[in-house]
């Protein structure tokens, strides 16, 4: 929702995350980074981690997951 090019898909993901968090689930979103966006933040009830960018996310995400999220 903070990404300057956010659109309909992001709204749907945000709504799903909010509903899951509202039911007591821990929600973590791993997504691509963008200029001006924090590397880590909370968006509603979800923890958001950003790595890579629109071109490198698919390569950066597995390593980020192993280093920072796998133990969650």
């Amino acid at each position: 929702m903070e990404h300057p090019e956010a659109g309909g898909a992001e709204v749907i993901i945000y709504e799903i995350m909010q509903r899951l968090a509202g039911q007591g689930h821990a929600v973590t979103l791993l997504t691509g980074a963008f200029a001006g966006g924090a590397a880590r933040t909370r968006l509603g009830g979800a923890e958001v981690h950003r790595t890579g960018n629109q071109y490198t996310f698919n390569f950066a995400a597995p390593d980020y997951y192993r280093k920072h999220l796998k133990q969650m």
Side-chain angles (χ1 to χ4, degrees):
M1 296 304 297
E2 296 174 342
H3 194 287
E5 296 178 12
E10 289 78 12
V11 171
I12 292 168
I13 291 170
Y14 177 79
E15 290 296 325
I16 292 169
M17 290 186 327
Q18 294 308 93
R19 291 177 184 163
L20 289 170
Q23 293 174 359
H25 297 280
V27 180
T28 303
L29 174 67
L30 177 57
T31 188
F34 58 91
R40 289 183 65 183
T41 189
R42 286 201 68 79
L43 186 57
E47 183 176 347
V48 178
H49 295 253
R50 297 184 179 111
T51 189
N53 60 39
Q54 69 182 23
Y55 305 110
T56 64
F57 175 77
N58 290 340
F59 303 104
D63 188 48
Y64 186 95
Y65 172 79
R66 282 188 295 276
K67 288 181 179 177
H68 302 284
L69 301 174
K70 188 174 183 177
Q71 67 278 4
M72 293 179 90

